[in-house]
Amino acid sequence: MPTIRRSSAAQTLLGEVQAEARAIVLAQPGIKDARWELDREWLAAHYIEVPER
């Protein structure tokens, strides 16, 4: 499978997992919203570079 297709498949799967996680969180009493944010400290600790915003 070409790299682009694998990357696209991985992104699709990640989106599905995030949507499921968001639905679980939003189903909890008192939770009105959820949003994703990169954990820049964790990424940096694992030598993963992330561009500034």
Side-chain angles (χ1 to χ4, degrees):
M1 178 182 280
T3 302
I4 291 176
R5 267 196 243 153
R6 276 187 288 201
S7 175
S8 179
Q11 287 178 334
T12 298
L13 179 57
L14 177 59
E16 291 169 0
V17 170
Q18 287 176 331
E20 182 179 3
R22 186 174 196 276
I24 291 168
V25 169
L26 292 176
Q28 304 308 304
I31 303 295
K32 294 182 180 9
D33 193 23
R35 67 181 175 93
W36 298 110
E37 183 175 309
L38 289 177
D39 185 342
R40 294 175 181 277
E41 288 182 27
W42 184 92
L43 292 166
H46 291 85
Y47 308 99
I48 300 169
E49 293 184 29
V50 178
E52 291 298 320
R53 296 174 201 166

